[in-house]
Amino acid sequence: MAPALPRLLVTRRLPQEVETRLAKSYWTQLNADDHPMSEAELLQGAGDKDALLITPMDKSFATGIIARLPSSIKIIATFSVGYEHVDIAAARQKNITVTNTPNVLTNATADIALLLILGAARGAYWGERMVREDRWNSWSPTEPLGLDVTGRRLGILGMGRIGQAVAKRARAFDMELHYHNRRPVAAELAHGARYHADLDKMLPYCDFLSINCASTPETRGLVNGTLIDKLPKGAIIVNTSRGDIVDDDALVSALKSGRVAAAGLDVFRNEPKIDPRYRALDNVFLLPHLGSATRDTRIAMGMRAADNLDAFFAGRKPADTLT
Ligand code: DGY
């Protein structure tokens, strides 16, 4: 008799190619209507499973659910590079392996960072709205006007894979590059960016600040009023990492006063329930967490999660083990 397939709960709809692959190697419980699962539903679904494939929206994995998972659960594969939504220490304690999906979303996310830089600097939001609402009366030499990107200084906060890909793209716009990271990266990965061991020393160089660090206890709330005050007046802030790195009160008030000229935000604290004050501001370019949202990238993320699950159930250590 063939050995029983491992039992897998997939908490959200995944691209068809990924679900088809998973169904060949696992007894899968899929989420056909793609609704966000409540904690009770997650626990019930996990009840008869060996593995979970979750997403960053399954936030209860950071807030106590892991301790209540049945002992049959051996691995949690998150469909994301970020893993702040998983309590890694709790998983370790229960001997549960946790994996993520690095590399495959680097380019797509860096593309969105550049879209935000351009969208915020050139007023893509108000420009688009003006055309859509039929308020565009005449081309004018003096209004509305955005800000140049070419030749301006970009500070990259967090020079991991995505930060490096942002640097590579920003070079094509002749931006002067700076970065802050815990450690300097190899010269060929820095794309000419100057390293600042001390974040405070980089801030005065940031006409643009791109947030590319992970959300950790050290970075949560890092972009606050004190940090913003060290940026040049009229700087632009873009965020493709996690919303909780930004102090929304500080950013909203800096956007209102003009201390920060514009912002481009793809991620938000408590998304999708974002701070409503952003909606009322004309100088923010807002996207609904589209960083990795291309078809190819989402398939690659799913395949990477499946590779990790397959390795685990074949008795090998998954390539992207975090525990
Ligand atoms: C991730 O993988 O962490 C992204 O935020 C999803 O786009």
Side-chain angles (χ1 to χ4, degrees):
M1 212 169 72
L5 297 178
R7 297 155 304 170
L8 171 69
L9 171 67
V10 183
T11 66
R12 295 297 295 268
R13 220 42 249 262
L14 298 181
Q16 190 58 58
E17 293 83 342
V18 179
E19 291 190 347
T20 302
R21 170 177 166 181
L22 291 170
K24 287 186 185 144
S25 313
Y26 301 89
W27 186 91
T28 50
Q29 178 181 332
L30 303 176
N31 181 348
D33 66 4
D34 197 34
H35 66 283
M37 288 182 153
S38 68
E39 193 166 321
E41 217 178 337
L42 288 168
L43 279 171
Q44 193 189 22
D48 58 351
K49 304 297 184 306
D50 303 300
L52 306 176
L53 203 167
I54 69 167
T55 77
M57 292 297 109
D58 296 311
K59 300 212 185 295
S60 42
F61 287 87
T63 57
I65 200 177
I66 290 182
R68 287 155 49 221
L69 289 174
S71 57
S72 58
I73 298 292
K74 298 288 183 299
I75 176 166
I76 300 172
T78 182
F79 181 86
S80 59
V81 65
Y83 52 89
E84 75 294 333
H85 56 288
V86 184
D87 182 343
I88 299 290
R92 251 189 223 122
Q93 218 167 38
K94 281 195 80 156
N95 205 19
I96 296 175
T97 296
V98 180
T99 62
N100 67 342
T101 60
N103 296 322
V104 290
L105 45 70
T106 300
N107 289 328
T109 307
D111 290 348
I112 289 287
L114 267 292
L115 178 62
L116 293 179
I117 287 174
L118 292 166
R122 300 301 302 272
Y125 165 65
W126 45 252
E128 223 259 352
R129 210 174 56 158
M130 189 183 274
V131 178
R132 256 181 216 286
E133 293 177 357
D134 198 13
R135 289 186 293 104
W136 182 32
N137 299 322
S138 159
W139 181 91
S140 156
T142 53
E143 62 177 294
L145 300 178
L147 294 163
D148 277 312
V149 169
T150 305
R152 306 287 293 280
R153 300 167 298 178
L154 169 66
I156 299 172
L157 174 52
M159 197 63 156
R161 283 175 291 257
I162 296 172
Q164 292 163 25
V166 169
K168 184 176 176 189
R169 284 157 177 71
R171 268 191 76 119
F173 288 88
D174 292 331
M175 298 188 89
E176 180 187 305
L177 302 178
H178 299 261
Y179 75 98
H180 168 72
N181 203 42
R182 269 174 304 184
R183 283 176 292 280
V185 300
E188 67 272 19
L189 302 178
H191 299 284
R194 176 171 149 205
Y195 178 59
H196 298 263
D198 181 349
L199 173 59
D200 280 355
K201 297 244 164 73
M202 176 176 84
L203 297 173
Y205 293 96
C206 299
D207 299 320
F208 289 77
L209 178 69
S210 175
I211 303 172
N212 297 106
C213 54
S215 165
T216 65
E218 293 75 42
T219 62
R220 273 168 218 143
L222 179 64
V223 178
N224 59 15
T226 313
L227 181 149
I228 288 172
D229 282 344
K230 293 177 183 146
L231 295 169
K233 186 167 173 352
I236 290 178
I237 296 177
V238 303
N239 190 5
T240 47
S241 176
R242 285 293 184 264
D244 59 7
I245 296 168
V246 171
D247 172 342
D248 291 322
D249 286 340
L251 182 56
V252 166
S253 109
L255 283 162
K256 281 184 176 162
S257 70
R259 180 72 187 71
V260 166
L265 305 175
D266 185 46
V267 286
F268 304 85
R269 193 184 292 268
N270 300 327
E271 62 184 55
K273 301 250 172 292
I274 74 164
D275 187 321
R277 292 174 296 177
Y278 287 121
R279 293 202 188 94
L281 294 171
D282 256 0
N283 51 349
V284 277
F285 181 52
L286 305 173
L287 293 177
H289 202 148
L290 294 184
S292 64
T294 69
R295 200 178 139 60
D296 288 349
T297 297
R298 289 285 165 84
I299 292 173
M301 289 166 71
M303 295 304 179
R304 185 105 182 189
D307 289 346
N308 286 320
L309 289 166
D310 289 355
F312 180 84
F313 286 107
R316 300 191 307 273
K317 183 173 176 182
D320 306 315
T321 299
L322 299 164
T323 33

